[in-house]
Amino acid sequence: MFELLAEEAGARRGRLHTAHGAIDTPAFMPVGTQATVKALTPEEVRELGAQVLLANTYHLALRPGAERIARLGGLHRFMGWEGAILTDSGGFQVFSLDHLVKVSDDGAIFRSHLDGSEQAFTPESVMAIQRQLGSDIAMAFDQPVSWPATDATARVAMERTHRWAARCLTAEAPPGQLRFGIVQGGFEEELRRESAEVLGEMPFDGFGVGGLSLGEPKAVTYGLLALQTAILPRDRPRYLMGVGTPADLVEAIARGIDMFDCVLPTRIARNGSILTRGGRINLRNRRFIEDSGPPDDGCDCYTCQRFSRAYLRHLFMAGEILGHRLASIHNLRLLVRLVAQIRERIGTGGLEHTMTSLRDLWALAPLP
Ligand SMILES: [Zn+2]
């Protein structure tokens, strides 16, 4: 159940109630692809302020298997996370990992990236996997298209996504599991409008906006996003899938998005890159060799309270795994906190001022 608590300048503040607690929105979800937010314990993820994380249907179905996780008590118990879990539909992985064998209205046949075995996902099987995992929010199976897709290709995939969404709704759901449909439509306004209208009529508990930020210009991303959020039902949450630079979060919240996930903060942390209020920096750079300051001046995370840039640089140069952990903690906290700071301003009358400061801070030009 979603409570819309305030609206201001296009942004929304709300609360989504799940079987594993409430999610204050807008919310940033750390990604736990393999039932782990890479290198962090559940307690560390909780301390970052995260109320929900994303786990990956495709990866968990192939290894260790959804039935096995069900026998072990479900995904929450398996990974030791007591907060909410959203599972994606696997659509993005099946259609982007370059091992698709065949797609038809029935579903998709693909080869496992692990052992090359032939696997099939249908709308029904994807919902069954998410039922076995026991996630709090299940996503409908969808077919995204890559940039630049022709209108004809995008239309076929969109119409198939709509038919699959209807089938996902007829599948049996465990008590308390919420279901989100996913709007698609490629990169043309007409298709994006049609997809939001068709999906918006279906009785989903929320909606993912899929197939964006796949290489198209940012102005296209934000324009299509605004177009779809204006059509989707106001009383249900909207989740922009796989998007998460600081600039993207600010712009998407201003266009009515409530939830985000992105691998960026943990992926770049592995290579020694951190997000700071002065931009993205790589701590391997020689200029940090005797930098005694914190990774980011304004950050309240564990890493920034305890350690210097020089120490983190040393860890990365020495190949110590603590470097990856500390950089992940910082990057995730920075995004969770950025979204929370905006959330607190929505409905106070001060949002425009906050957004202007954030755009200046992250050196963003406002887009129409
Ligand atoms: Zn920090």
Side-chain angles (χ1 to χ4, degrees), residues 183 191-201 228 231-232:
V183 297
L191 292 181
R192 284 276 162 186
R193 185 174 291 118
E194 185 177 332
S195 191
E197 286 169 355
V198 171
L199 263 287
E201 291 291 316
Q228 291 195 306
I231 296 168
L232 289 170

Side-chain angles (χ1 to χ4, degrees), residues 240-261:
L240 179 58
M241 305 178 71
V243 172
T245 66
D248 288 332
L249 300 184
V250 172
E251 297 304 335
I253 290 172
R255 287 162 179 79
I257 288 293
D258 306 300
M259 298 166 69
F260 302 90
D261 79 282

Side-chain angles (χ1 to χ4, degrees), residues 332-353:
L332 284 169
R333 174 61 189 159
L334 186 138
L335 292 183
V336 168
R337 187 175 180 219
L338 170 67
V339 170
Q341 284 170 330
I342 299 173
R343 181 172 69 230
E344 285 159 14
R345 301 297 286 176
I346 299 171
T348 64
L351 184 67
E352 292 276 22
H353 177 73

Side-chain angles (χ1 to χ4, degrees), residues 174-291:
Q177 189 181 56
L178 305 176
R179 295 172 168 199
F180 283 21
I182 301 177
V183 297
Q184 290 287 349
F187 306 95
E188 285 299 321
E189 290 189 0
E190 203 44 50
L191 292 181
R192 284 276 162 186
R193 185 174 291 118
E194 185 177 332
S195 191
E197 286 169 355
V198 171
L199 263 287
E201 291 291 316
M202 296 187 189
F204 283 107
D205 301 298
F207 298 92
V209 178
L212 288 179
S213 214
L214 298 179
E216 77 280 8
K218 288 291 182 192
V220 172
T221 312
Y222 298 146
L224 295 174
L225 186 57
L227 183 155
Q228 291 195 306
T229 53
I231 296 168
L232 289 170
R234 254 181 89 236
D235 62 353
R236 278 165 278 169
R238 301 83 175 261
Y239 156 36
L240 179 58
M241 305 178 71
V243 172
T245 66
D248 288 332
L249 300 184
V250 172
E251 297 304 335
I253 290 172
R255 287 162 179 79
I257 288 293
D258 306 300
M259 298 166 69
F260 302 90
D261 79 282
C262 194
V263 295
L264 173 102
T266 41
R267 181 171 287 167
I268 66 171
R270 243 169 293 162
N271 306 314
S273 286
I274 59 165
L275 301 165
T276 76
R277 302 199 297 168
R280 181 166 152 179
I281 58 172
N282 193 308
L283 291 167
R284 290 170 175 271
N285 193 299
R286 197 170 168 78
R287 69 192 159 107
F288 301 120
I289 198 162
E290 288 193 18
D291 189 333

Side-chain angles (χ1 to χ4, degrees), residues 9-20:
R12 297 140 53 89
R13 180 164 59 83
R15 187 167 294 137
L16 179 62
H17 296 273
T18 78
H20 287 83

